[in-house]
PDB file of all heavy atoms in Angstrom:
ATOM      1  N   GLY A   1     197.043 203.218  86.693  1.00  0.00           N
ATOM      2  CA  GLY A   1     195.833 203.594  86.219  1.00  0.00           C
ATOM      3  C   GLY A   1     195.119 204.732  86.957  1.00  0.00           C
ATOM      4  O   GLY A   1     195.806 205.301  87.760  1.00  0.00           O
ATOM      5  N   GLN A   2     193.978 204.866  86.742  1.00  0.00           N
ATOM      6  CA  GLN A   2     193.150 205.842  87.390  1.00  0.00           C
ATOM      7  C   GLN A   2     192.113 205.381  88.430  1.00  0.00           C
ATOM      8  O   GLN A   2     191.604 204.431  88.143  1.00  0.00           O
ATOM      9  CB  GLN A   2     192.409 206.834  86.453  1.00  0.00           C
ATOM     10  CG  GLN A   2     191.647 208.051  87.072  1.00  0.00           C
ATOM     11  CD  GLN A   2     191.194 209.059  86.098  1.00  0.00           C
ATOM     12  OE1 GLN A   2     191.712 208.993  84.935  1.00  0.00           O
ATOM     13  NE2 GLN A   2     190.428 209.965  86.655  1.00  0.00           N
ATOM     14  N   VAL A   3     192.185 205.876  89.730  1.00  0.00           N
ATOM     15  CA  VAL A   3     191.362 205.319  90.681  1.00  0.00           C
ATOM     16  C   VAL A   3     190.713 206.588  91.483  1.00  0.00           C
ATOM     17  O   VAL A   3     191.419 207.553  91.465  1.00  0.00           O
ATOM     18  CB  VAL A   3     192.171 204.355  91.650  1.00  0.00           C
ATOM     19  CG1 VAL A   3     193.192 205.107  92.317  1.00  0.00           C
ATOM     20  CG2 VAL A   3     191.168 203.662  92.525  1.00  0.00           C
ATOM     21  N   GLN A   4     189.605 206.339  92.058  1.00  0.00           N
ATOM     22  CA  GLN A   4     189.039 207.399  92.900  1.00  0.00           C
ATOM     23  C   GLN A   4     189.666 207.483  94.282  1.00  0.00           C
ATOM     24  O   GLN A   4     190.137 206.420  94.761  1.00  0.00           O
ATOM     25  CB  GLN A   4     187.486 207.242  93.013  1.00  0.00           C
ATOM     26  CG  GLN A   4     186.712 207.600  91.835  1.00  0.00           C
ATOM     27  CD  GLN A   4     185.264 207.770  92.102  1.00  0.00           C
ATOM     28  OE1 GLN A   4     184.708 206.818  92.848  1.00  0.00           O
ATOM     29  NE2 GLN A   4     184.656 208.699  91.520  1.00  0.00           N
ATOM     30  N   ALA A   5     189.754 208.579  94.891  1.00  0.00           N
ATOM     31  CA  ALA A   5     190.253 208.731  96.233  1.00  0.00           C
ATOM     32  C   ALA A   5     189.651 207.806  97.159  1.00  0.00           C
ATOM     33  O   ALA A   5     188.416 207.575  97.146  1.00  0.00           O
ATOM     34  CB  ALA A   5     190.156 210.140  96.747  1.00  0.00           C
ATOM     35  N   GLY A   6     190.351 207.061  97.891  1.00  0.00           N
ATOM     36  CA  GLY A   6     189.878 206.035  98.890  1.00  0.00           C
ATOM     37  C   GLY A   6     190.006 204.674  98.383  1.00  0.00           C
ATOM     38  O   GLY A   6     189.832 203.635  99.223  1.00  0.00           O
ATOM     39  N   GLY A   7     190.248 204.502  97.019  1.00  0.00           N
ATOM     40  CA  GLY A   7     190.234 203.277  96.476  1.00  0.00           C
ATOM     41  C   GLY A   7     191.529 202.535  96.632  1.00  0.00           C
ATOM     42  O   GLY A   7     192.564 203.236  96.933  1.00  0.00           O
ATOM     43  N   PRO A   8     191.706 201.362  96.074  1.00  0.00           N
ATOM     44  CA  PRO A   8     192.861 200.616  96.063  1.00  0.00           C
ATOM     45  C   PRO A   8     193.549 200.419  94.687  1.00  0.00           C
ATOM     46  O   PRO A   8     192.780 200.604  93.660  1.00  0.00           O
ATOM     47  CB  PRO A   8     192.556 199.185  96.537  1.00  0.00           C
ATOM     48  CG  PRO A   8     191.105 198.972  96.006  1.00  0.00           C
ATOM     49  CD  PRO A   8     190.409 200.420  95.902  1.00  0.00           C
ATOM     50  N   LEU A   9     194.720 200.086  94.576  1.00  0.00           N
ATOM     51  CA  LEU A   9     195.432 199.977  93.394  1.00  0.00           C
ATOM     52  C   LEU A   9     196.567 199.063  93.587  1.00  0.00           C
ATOM     53  O   LEU A   9     197.238 199.211  94.780  1.00  0.00           O
ATOM     54  CB  LEU A   9     195.809 201.167  92.607  1.00  0.00           C
ATOM     55  CG  LEU A   9     196.084 201.128  91.110  1.00  0.00           C
ATOM     56  CD1 LEU A   9     194.840 200.684  90.405  1.00  0.00           C
ATOM     57  CD2 LEU A   9     196.448 202.501  90.702  1.00  0.00           C
ATOM     58  N   SER A  10     196.894 198.127  92.780  1.00  0.00           N
ATOM     59  CA  SER A  10     198.157 197.204  92.923  1.00  0.00           C
ATOM     60  C   SER A  10     199.081 197.361  91.846  1.00  0.00           C
ATOM     61  O   SER A  10     198.692 197.229  90.744  1.00  0.00           O
ATOM     62  CB  SER A  10     197.696 195.887  93.232  1.00  0.00           C
ATOM     63  OG  SER A  10     198.818 194.954  93.382  1.00  0.00           O
ATOM     64  N   LEU A  11     200.296 197.529  92.156  1.00  0.00           N
ATOM     65  CA  LEU A  11     201.403 197.608  91.256  1.00  0.00           C
ATOM     66  C   LEU A  11     202.203 196.340  91.295  1.00  0.00           C
ATOM     67  O   LEU A  11     202.502 195.802  92.272  1.00  0.00           O
ATOM     68  CB  LEU A  11     202.161 198.833  91.176  1.00  0.00           C
ATOM     69  CG  LEU A  11     201.541 200.175  91.292  1.00  0.00           C
ATOM     70  CD1 LEU A  11     202.558 201.269  91.555  1.00  0.00           C
ATOM     71  CD2 LEU A  11     200.686 200.455  90.056  1.00  0.00           C
ATOM     72  N   SER A  12     202.633 195.958  89.990  1.00  0.00           N
ATOM     73  CA  SER A  12     203.748 194.833  90.143  1.00  0.00           C
ATOM     74  C   SER A  12     205.002 195.200  89.308  1.00  0.00           C
ATOM     75  O   SER A  12     204.965 196.141  88.456  1.00  0.00           O
ATOM     76  CB  SER A  12     203.210 193.586  89.306  1.00  0.00           C
ATOM     77  OG  SER A  12     202.833 193.821  88.015  1.00  0.00           O
ATOM     78  N   CYS A  13     206.039 194.513  89.708  1.00  0.00           N
ATOM     79  CA  CYS A  13     207.434 194.767  89.092  1.00  0.00           C
ATOM     80  C   CYS A  13     207.943 193.450  88.854  1.00  0.00           C
ATOM     81  O   CYS A  13     208.321 192.799  89.808  1.00  0.00           O
ATOM     82  CB  CYS A  13     208.141 195.656  89.918  1.00  0.00           C
ATOM     83  SG  CYS A  13     209.910 195.873  89.359  1.00  0.00           S
ATOM     84  N   ALA A  14     208.211 193.253  87.547  1.00  0.00           N
ATOM     85  CA  ALA A  14     208.902 191.828  87.279  1.00  0.00           C
ATOM     86  C   ALA A  14     210.168 192.076  86.615  1.00  0.00           C
ATOM     87  O   ALA A  14     210.307 192.851  85.611  1.00  0.00           O
ATOM     88  CB  ALA A  14     207.820 191.117  86.274  1.00  0.00           C
ATOM     89  N   ALA A  15     211.186 191.357  87.052  1.00  0.00           N
ATOM     90  CA  ALA A  15     212.516 191.353  86.586  1.00  0.00           C
ATOM     91  C   ALA A  15     212.663 190.345  85.349  1.00  0.00           C
ATOM     92  O   ALA A  15     212.055 189.238  85.416  1.00  0.00           O
ATOM     93  CB  ALA A  15     213.503 191.003  87.536  1.00  0.00           C
ATOM     94  N   SER A  16     213.471 190.816  84.455  1.00  0.00           N
ATOM     95  CA  SER A  16     213.521 189.824  83.198  1.00  0.00           C
ATOM     96  C   SER A  16     214.489 188.596  83.462  1.00  0.00           C
ATOM     97  O   SER A  16     214.333 187.672  82.724  1.00  0.00           O
ATOM     98  CB  SER A  16     214.096 190.535  82.033  1.00  0.00           C
ATOM     99  OG  SER A  16     215.514 191.130  82.413  1.00  0.00           O
ATOM    100  N   THR A  17     215.184 188.684  84.523  1.00  0.00           N
ATOM    101  CA  THR A  17     216.230 187.622  84.699  1.00  0.00           C
ATOM    102  C   THR A  17     216.251 187.261  86.305  1.00  0.00           C
ATOM    103  O   THR A  17     215.783 188.160  87.023  1.00  0.00           O
ATOM    104  CB  THR A  17     217.609 187.825  84.258  1.00  0.00           C
ATOM    105  OG1 THR A  17     218.168 189.033  85.013  1.00  0.00           O
ATOM    106  CG2 THR A  17     217.571 188.182  82.727  1.00  0.00           C
ATOM    107  N   PRO A  18     216.680 186.201  86.681  1.00  0.00           N
ATOM    108  CA  PRO A  18     216.864 186.068  88.166  1.00  0.00           C
ATOM    109  C   PRO A  18     217.822 187.135  88.597  1.00  0.00           C
ATOM    110  O   PRO A  18     218.814 187.374  88.085  1.00  0.00           O
ATOM    111  CB  PRO A  18     217.601 184.754  88.197  1.00  0.00           C
ATOM    112  CG  PRO A  18     217.027 183.968  87.082  1.00  0.00           C
ATOM    113  CD  PRO A  18     217.006 185.094  85.936  1.00  0.00           C
ATOM    114  N   ILE A  19     217.495 187.779  89.904  1.00  0.00           N
ATOM    115  CA  ILE A  19     218.220 188.942  90.220  1.00  0.00           C
ATOM    116  C   ILE A  19     219.207 188.718  91.336  1.00  0.00           C
ATOM    117  O   ILE A  19     219.779 189.651  91.795  1.00  0.00           O
ATOM    118  CB  ILE A  19     217.235 190.022  90.743  1.00  0.00           C
ATOM    119  CG1 ILE A  19     216.321 189.422  91.807  1.00  0.00           C
ATOM    120  CG2 ILE A  19     216.369 190.411  89.525  1.00  0.00           C
ATOM    121  CD1 ILE A  19     215.253 190.539  92.271  1.00  0.00           C
ATOM    122  N   GLY A  20     219.413 187.395  91.824  1.00  0.00           N
ATOM    123  CA  GLY A  20     220.437 187.197  92.594  1.00  0.00           C
ATOM    124  C   GLY A  20     220.282 187.736  94.132  1.00  0.00           C
ATOM    125  O   GLY A  20     219.277 188.376  94.398  1.00  0.00           O
ATOM    126  N   SER A  21     221.425 187.549  94.793  1.00  0.00           N
ATOM    127  CA  SER A  21     221.369 188.034  96.259  1.00  0.00           C
ATOM    128  C   SER A  21     222.696 188.477  96.626  1.00  0.00           C
ATOM    129  O   SER A  21     223.745 188.087  96.125  1.00  0.00           O
ATOM    130  CB  SER A  21     221.009 186.784  97.129  1.00  0.00           C
ATOM    131  OG  SER A  21     221.038 187.164  98.426  1.00  0.00           O
ATOM    132  N   PRO A  22     222.852 189.549  97.452  1.00  0.00           N
ATOM    133  CA  PRO A  22     221.668 190.177  98.096  1.00  0.00           C
ATOM    134  C   PRO A  22     221.088 191.376  97.196  1.00  0.00           C
ATOM    135  O   PRO A  22     221.788 191.714  96.191  1.00  0.00           O
ATOM    136  CB  PRO A  22     222.273 190.922  99.269  1.00  0.00           C
ATOM    137  CG  PRO A  22     223.726 191.139  98.762  1.00  0.00           C
ATOM    138  CD  PRO A  22     224.197 189.989  98.002  1.00  0.00           C
ATOM    139  N   ASN A  23     219.961 191.663  97.398  1.00  0.00           N
ATOM    140  CA  ASN A  23     219.259 192.742  96.606  1.00  0.00           C
ATOM    141  C   ASN A  23     218.161 193.335  97.464  1.00  0.00           C
ATOM    142  O   ASN A  23     217.610 192.751  98.339  1.00  0.00           O
ATOM    143  CB  ASN A  23     218.813 192.262  95.251  1.00  0.00           C
ATOM    144  CG  ASN A  23     217.711 191.261  95.454  1.00  0.00           C
ATOM    145  OD1 ASN A  23     216.586 191.671  95.626  1.00  0.00           O
ATOM    146  ND2 ASN A  23     217.934 189.969  95.178  1.00  0.00           N
ATOM    147  N   THR A  24     217.799 194.503  97.127  1.00  0.00           N
ATOM    148  CA  THR A  24     216.579 195.194  97.585  1.00  0.00           C
ATOM    149  C   THR A  24     215.860 195.748  96.507  1.00  0.00           C
ATOM    150  O   THR A  24     216.381 196.317  95.443  1.00  0.00           O
ATOM    151  CB  THR A  24     217.038 196.385  98.501  1.00  0.00           C
ATOM    152  OG1 THR A  24     217.753 195.950  99.614  1.00  0.00           O
ATOM    153  CG2 THR A  24     215.825 197.181  99.027  1.00  0.00           C
ATOM    154  N   MET A  25     214.541 195.579  96.491  1.00  0.00           N
ATOM    155  CA  MET A  25     213.633 196.207  95.520  1.00  0.00           C
ATOM    156  C   MET A  25     212.828 197.323  96.217  1.00  0.00           C
ATOM    157  O   MET A  25     212.482 197.174  97.368  1.00  0.00           O
ATOM    158  CB  MET A  25     212.636 195.127  94.953  1.00  0.00           C
ATOM    159  CG  MET A  25     213.377 194.004  94.166  1.00  0.00           C
ATOM    160  SD  MET A  25     212.375 192.843  93.297  1.00  0.00           S
ATOM    161  CE  MET A  25     211.966 193.794  91.919  1.00  0.00           C
ATOM    162  N   GLU A  26     212.829 198.395  95.462  1.00  0.00           N
ATOM    163  CA  GLU A  26     212.235 199.642  95.946  1.00  0.00           C
ATOM    164  C   GLU A  26     211.176 200.131  94.987  1.00  0.00           C
ATOM    165  O   GLU A  26     211.159 199.904  93.778  1.00  0.00           O
ATOM    166  CB  GLU A  26     213.297 200.676  96.134  1.00  0.00           C
ATOM    167  CG  GLU A  26     214.400 200.306  96.957  1.00  0.00           C
ATOM    168  CD  GLU A  26     215.486 201.469  97.314  1.00  0.00           C
ATOM    169  OE1 GLU A  26     215.352 202.400  96.491  1.00  0.00           O
ATOM    170  OE2 GLU A  26     216.305 201.352  98.190  1.00  0.00           O
ATOM    171  N   TRP A  27     210.266 200.915  95.553  1.00  0.00           N
ATOM    172  CA  TRP A  27     209.180 201.566  94.890  1.00  0.00           C
ATOM    173  C   TRP A  27     209.472 203.115  95.075  1.00  0.00           C
ATOM    174  O   TRP A  27     209.584 203.481  96.215  1.00  0.00           O
ATOM    175  CB  TRP A  27     207.825 201.204  95.285  1.00  0.00           C
ATOM    176  CG  TRP A  27     207.426 199.871  94.632  1.00  0.00           C
ATOM    177  CD1 TRP A  27     207.488 198.722  95.453  1.00  0.00           C
ATOM    178  CD2 TRP A  27     206.862 199.623  93.390  1.00  0.00           C
ATOM    179  NE1 TRP A  27     206.992 197.701  94.539  1.00  0.00           N
ATOM    180  CE2 TRP A  27     206.668 198.183  93.386  1.00  0.00           C
ATOM    181  CE3 TRP A  27     206.633 200.316  92.358  1.00  0.00           C
ATOM    182  CZ2 TRP A  27     206.249 197.539  92.235  1.00  0.00           C
ATOM    183  CZ3 TRP A  27     206.221 199.675  91.079  1.00  0.00           C
ATOM    184  CH2 TRP A  27     205.878 198.239  91.208  1.00  0.00           C
ATOM    185  N   HIS A  28     209.553 203.766  94.031  1.00  0.00           N
ATOM    186  CA  HIS A  28     209.722 205.283  94.126  1.00  0.00           C
ATOM    187  C   HIS A  28     208.509 205.948  93.344  1.00  0.00           C
ATOM    188  O   HIS A  28     207.943 205.346  92.428  1.00  0.00           O
ATOM    189  CB  HIS A  28     211.059 205.757  93.570  1.00  0.00           C
ATOM    190  CG  HIS A  28     212.264 205.163  94.163  1.00  0.00           C
ATOM    191  ND1 HIS A  28     213.105 206.109  94.785  1.00  0.00           N
ATOM    192  CD2 HIS A  28     212.673 203.981  94.340  1.00  0.00           C
ATOM    193  CE1 HIS A  28     214.116 205.431  95.229  1.00  0.00           C
ATOM    194  NE2 HIS A  28     213.895 204.073  95.061  1.00  0.00           N
ATOM    195  N   ARG A  29     208.310 207.173  93.579  1.00  0.00           N
ATOM    196  CA  ARG A  29     207.311 207.857  92.686  1.00  0.00           C
ATOM    197  C   ARG A  29     207.741 209.387  92.543  1.00  0.00           C
ATOM    198  O   ARG A  29     208.471 209.871  93.331  1.00  0.00           O
ATOM    199  CB  ARG A  29     205.884 207.924  93.544  1.00  0.00           C
ATOM    200  CG  ARG A  29     205.852 208.708  94.785  1.00  0.00           C
ATOM    201  CD  ARG A  29     204.407 208.537  95.327  1.00  0.00           C
ATOM    202  NE  ARG A  29     204.410 209.243  96.682  1.00  0.00           N
ATOM    203  CZ  ARG A  29     203.384 209.158  97.518  1.00  0.00           C
ATOM    204  NH1 ARG A  29     202.479 208.299  97.266  1.00  0.00           N
ATOM    205  NH2 ARG A  29     203.350 209.942  98.615  1.00  0.00           N
ATOM    206  N   GLN A  30     207.173 209.914  91.422  1.00  0.00           N
ATOM    207  CA  GLN A  30     207.430 211.155  91.155  1.00  0.00           C
ATOM    208  C   GLN A  30     206.088 211.983  90.785  1.00  0.00           C
ATOM    209  O   GLN A  30     205.591 211.614  89.847  1.00  0.00           O
ATOM    210  CB  GLN A  30     208.512 211.349  89.956  1.00  0.00           C
ATOM    211  CG  GLN A  30     209.030 212.788  89.808  1.00  0.00           C
ATOM    212  CD  GLN A  30     210.133 212.711  88.891  1.00  0.00           C
ATOM    213  OE1 GLN A  30     210.610 211.784  88.209  1.00  0.00           O
ATOM    214  NE2 GLN A  30     210.897 213.942  88.929  1.00  0.00           N
ATOM    215  N   ALA A  31     205.837 212.873  91.604  1.00  0.00           N
ATOM    216  CA  ALA A  31     204.680 213.784  91.235  1.00  0.00           C
ATOM    217  C   ALA A  31     204.953 214.905  90.404  1.00  0.00           C
ATOM    218  O   ALA A  31     206.219 215.354  90.307  1.00  0.00           O
ATOM    219  CB  ALA A  31     204.103 214.252  92.677  1.00  0.00           C
ATOM    220  N   PRO A  32     204.065 215.444  89.635  1.00  0.00           N
ATOM    221  CA  PRO A  32     204.411 216.457  88.699  1.00  0.00           C
ATOM    222  C   PRO A  32     205.110 217.654  89.520  1.00  0.00           C
ATOM    223  O   PRO A  32     204.511 218.176  90.547  1.00  0.00           O
ATOM    224  CB  PRO A  32     202.991 216.923  88.283  1.00  0.00           C
ATOM    225  CG  PRO A  32     202.185 215.636  88.318  1.00  0.00           C
ATOM    226  CD  PRO A  32     202.660 215.021  89.544  1.00  0.00           C
ATOM    227  N   GLY A  33     206.223 218.183  88.999  1.00  0.00           N
ATOM    228  CA  GLY A  33     206.960 219.376  89.599  1.00  0.00           C
ATOM    229  C   GLY A  33     207.641 218.880  90.827  1.00  0.00           C
ATOM    230  O   GLY A  33     208.207 219.941  91.524  1.00  0.00           O
ATOM    231  N   LYS A  34     207.750 217.665  91.171  1.00  0.00           N
ATOM    232  CA  LYS A  34     208.401 217.319  92.423  1.00  0.00           C
ATOM    233  C   LYS A  34     209.436 216.400  92.080  1.00  0.00           C
ATOM    234  O   LYS A  34     209.572 215.687  91.102  1.00  0.00           O
ATOM    235  CB  LYS A  34     207.499 216.681  93.461  1.00  0.00           C
ATOM    236  CG  LYS A  34     206.416 217.718  93.899  1.00  0.00           C
ATOM    237  CD  LYS A  34     205.546 217.135  95.061  1.00  0.00           C
ATOM    238  CE  LYS A  34     204.631 218.150  95.587  1.00  0.00           C
ATOM    239  NZ  LYS A  34     203.808 217.705  96.746  1.00  0.00           N
ATOM    240  N   GLN A  35     210.385 216.122  93.088  1.00  0.00           N
ATOM    241  CA  GLN A  35     211.553 215.242  93.026  1.00  0.00           C
ATOM    242  C   GLN A  35     211.020 213.854  93.171  1.00  0.00           C
ATOM    243  O   GLN A  35     210.010 213.611  93.782  1.00  0.00           O
ATOM    244  CB  GLN A  35     212.625 215.593  93.996  1.00  0.00           C
ATOM    245  CG  GLN A  35     213.388 216.756  93.607  1.00  0.00           C
ATOM    246  CD  GLN A  35     214.609 216.884  94.585  1.00  0.00           C
ATOM    247  OE1 GLN A  35     214.591 216.669  95.741  1.00  0.00           O
ATOM    248  NE2 GLN A  35     215.671 217.542  94.029  1.00  0.00           N
ATOM    249  N   ARG A  36     211.700 212.901  92.638  1.00  0.00           N
ATOM    250  CA  ARG A  36     211.412 211.499  92.909  1.00  0.00           C
ATOM    251  C   ARG A  36     211.540 211.213  94.379  1.00  0.00           C
ATOM    252  O   ARG A  36     212.559 211.579  94.991  1.00  0.00           O
ATOM    253  CB  ARG A  36     212.178 210.485  92.065  1.00  0.00           C
ATOM    254  CG  ARG A  36     211.659 209.170  91.858  1.00  0.00           C
ATOM    255  CD  ARG A  36     212.536 208.378  90.886  1.00  0.00           C
ATOM    256  NE  ARG A  36     212.349 208.891  89.562  1.00  0.00           N
ATOM    257  CZ  ARG A  36     212.859 208.359  88.386  1.00  0.00           C
ATOM    258  NH1 ARG A  36     213.459 207.099  88.620  1.00  0.00           N
ATOM    259  NH2 ARG A  36     212.619 208.758  87.324  1.00  0.00           N
ATOM    260  N   GLU A  37     210.721 210.372  94.914  1.00  0.00           N
ATOM    261  CA  GLU A  37     210.877 210.025  96.384  1.00  0.00           C
ATOM    262  C   GLU A  37     210.777 208.459  96.555  1.00  0.00           C
ATOM    263  O   GLU A  37     209.985 207.874  95.811  1.00  0.00           O
ATOM    264  CB  GLU A  37     209.846 210.828  97.251  1.00  0.00           C
ATOM    265  CG  GLU A  37     208.434 210.420  96.867  1.00  0.00           C
ATOM    266  CD  GLU A  37     207.412 211.011  97.819  1.00  0.00           C
ATOM    267  OE1 GLU A  37     207.813 211.414  98.977  1.00  0.00           O
ATOM    268  OE2 GLU A  37     206.212 210.997  97.543  1.00  0.00           O
ATOM    269  N   LEU A  38     211.326 208.065  97.658  1.00  0.00           N
ATOM    270  CA  LEU A  38     211.257 206.560  97.938  1.00  0.00           C
ATOM    271  C   LEU A  38     209.992 206.358  98.590  1.00  0.00           C
ATOM    272  O   LEU A  38     209.718 207.122  99.609  1.00  0.00           O
ATOM    273  CB  LEU A  38     212.414 206.221  98.808  1.00  0.00           C
ATOM    274  CG  LEU A  38     212.381 204.830  99.251  1.00  0.00           C
ATOM    275  CD1 LEU A  38     212.451 203.758  98.219  1.00  0.00           C
ATOM    276  CD2 LEU A  38     213.567 204.570 100.339  1.00  0.00           C
ATOM    277  N   VAL A  39     209.255 205.404  98.238  1.00  0.00           N
ATOM    278  CA  VAL A  39     207.896 205.090  98.745  1.00  0.00           C
ATOM    279  C   VAL A  39     207.939 203.879  99.717  1.00  0.00           C
ATOM    280  O   VAL A  39     207.634 203.797 100.892  1.00  0.00           O
ATOM    281  CB  VAL A  39     206.776 204.840  97.710  1.00  0.00           C
ATOM    282  CG1 VAL A  39     205.406 204.244  98.377  1.00  0.00           C
ATOM    283  CG2 VAL A  39     206.595 206.039  96.838  1.00  0.00           C
TER     284      VAL A  39
END
């Protein structure tokens, strides 16, 4: 969503099925005109 600078925001990511082991969950982001980066 949209938030003012200095504010908080929380994202969630839910998998549709049990995801087993081992595994790693990652958050990436892509800004306009930039490459996707690992956060």
Side-chain angles (χ1 to χ4, degrees):
Q2 185 166 347
V3 64
Q4 283 195 322
L9 202 61
S10 181
L11 306 180
S12 65
C13 173
S16 59
T17 63
I19 56 179
S21 179
N23 69 75
T24 298
M25 297 189 79
E26 300 184 350
W27 287 96
H28 297 245
R29 69 184 178 192
Q30 187 164 20
K34 295 188 177 181
Q35 289 188 329
R36 191 175 298 188
E37 62 173 346
L38 175 64
V39 174

